[in-house]
Amino acid sequence: MSKIGIIGGSGLTELPGLEITDEIELDTPWGRPSASITVGKINNTEILFLPRHGNPHTIPPHKVNYRANLWALHKSNVSEIIAVNAVGGITTAMTPCRIVIPNQLIDYTHGRADSFHEEGLDEVKHIDFTDPYSESLRQQLIQAAAEKHIDIVPTGTYAVTQGPRLETTAEINRLEKDGCDIVGMTSMPEASLARELDIEYACCSLVVNWAAGKTDEMITMEIIVNNLKDGMGKIQNLIAAVMSNK
Ligand code: HPA
């Protein structure tokens, strides 16, 4: 039976419909993961669920121990990870409450521990990262969305910013010129760490606000939380649909 990891983002500290069978507390050579891993089943597929920001949600994006999280899932024999994240919408199709399955990213983060290949190596390692997201997992998400009539945007470039603050208008204009469609704070180094461990990794990104300068409204936590509430149900349905195709 294949094991699928779900890294829950803001608004997803639990996965409803998950028939819980175990809870694993893991320590790793890289430190402790954000929380214990909840093990369960959806439609006969084993799911390992890890809330990225802890449970309760207290770890900001730049303080997440991404290496410990990915290592813990790897040691639990996960072969695929669906990562859920909240993002801001930059280009016109990326309207609040839409789900995007990004196919590219640009990394604007700094100072994050972003590789397992650092010290004590027999040789220097460079992973291929031409396509940062798993095309096979992206297609599973896109197909499941079509079957369940869940509105998604099937491609997009994810700008990964350092946070925890949101961006300035000038920064968003620059990201747009760079070719980015959505902006969030968590897909790196998650995606490259997953690649280092040979885990198929794809994102389900929920647009929770217009990015800075794309609307006259201030970006408030109230707007973000309301859109998270509206959109998370769709994300849960999409994940359940992918599982039912396994
Ligand atoms: N910028 C960066 N990260 C985010 C945003 C945003 O506008 N919204 C949700 N996560």
Side-chain angles (χ1 to χ4, degrees):
M1 189 166 64
S2 59
K3 287 189 182 184
I4 313 298
I6 309 282
I7 301 181
S10 307
L12 196 72
T13 45
E14 286 167 2
L15 201 60
L18 189 65
E19 194 190 306
I20 298 173
T21 53
D22 202 2
E23 191 83 23
I24 25 184
E25 284 277 351
L26 276 178
D27 205 356
T28 79
W30 316 99
R32 284 204 166 269
S34 300
S36 57
I37 296 175
T38 305
V39 184
K41 268 189 191 171
I42 297 183
N43 302 324
N44 254 351
T45 302
E46 193 162 21
I47 312 274
L48 281 84
F49 179 77
L50 177 58
R52 180 188 295 111
H53 301 282
N55 192 9
H57 183 292
T58 51
I59 310 170
H62 64 301
K63 292 287 184 192
V64 170
N65 189 340
Y66 293 96
R67 288 195 297 192
N69 286 352
L70 272 289
W71 194 260
L73 290 170
H74 167 64
K75 282 289 157 192
S76 309
N77 294 321
V78 154
S79 54
E80 292 176 308
I81 293 176
I82 299 173
V84 178
N85 35 49
V87 295
I90 300 177
T91 48
T92 47
M94 309 296 163
T95 57
C97 289
R98 283 194 102 177
I99 295 172
V100 187
I101 315 295
N103 62 324
Q104 275 296 333
L105 65 78
I106 301 182
D107 185 8
Y108 299 92
T109 66
H110 49 86
R112 299 184 179 190
D114 61 359
S115 177
F116 297 112
H117 301 154
E118 280 184 350
E119 276 159 47
L121 304 175
D122 299 332
E123 56 182 34
V124 173
K125 295 209 172 111
H126 301 284
I127 50 161
D128 178 285
F129 206 44
T130 311
D131 295 305
Y133 299 106
S134 156
E135 194 52 31
S136 120
L137 193 49
R138 277 183 10 84
Q139 289 307 327
Q140 291 176 52
L141 286 159
I142 292 165
Q143 193 189 324
E147 285 165 9
K148 299 287 175 194
H149 307 288
I150 301 171
D151 171 44
I152 55 142
V153 186
T155 54
T157 298
Y158 183 139
V160 196
T161 54
Q162 176 70 0
R165 66 166 178 84
L166 299 174
E167 298 71 31
T168 65
T169 301
E171 285 169 337
I172 292 298
N173 289 342
R174 172 193 166 198
L175 299 186
E176 188 167 15
K177 282 200 197 100
D178 284 354
C180 299
D181 299 293
I182 50 176
V183 55
M185 301 174 191
T186 57
S187 194
M188 282 298 286
E190 249 175 37
S192 56
L193 290 171
R195 182 63 54 82
E196 284 189 0
L197 296 170
D198 265 333
I199 300 174
E200 304 285 322
Y201 172 97
C203 278
C204 248
S205 303
L206 177 67
V207 181
V208 293
N209 57 279
W210 280 114
K214 293 292 168 192
T215 158
D216 294 336
E217 263 183 312
M218 253 186 76
I219 309 168
T220 61
M221 280 312 288
E222 195 188 346
I223 293 177
I224 292 179
V225 168
N226 284 340
N227 288 327
L228 269 175
K229 278 193 200 134
D230 287 352
M232 268 311 152
K234 280 195 293 181
I235 297 257
Q236 286 158 7
N237 291 342
L238 181 54
I239 290 174
V242 170
M243 297 311 153
S244 64
N245 288 343
K246 288 277 178 196

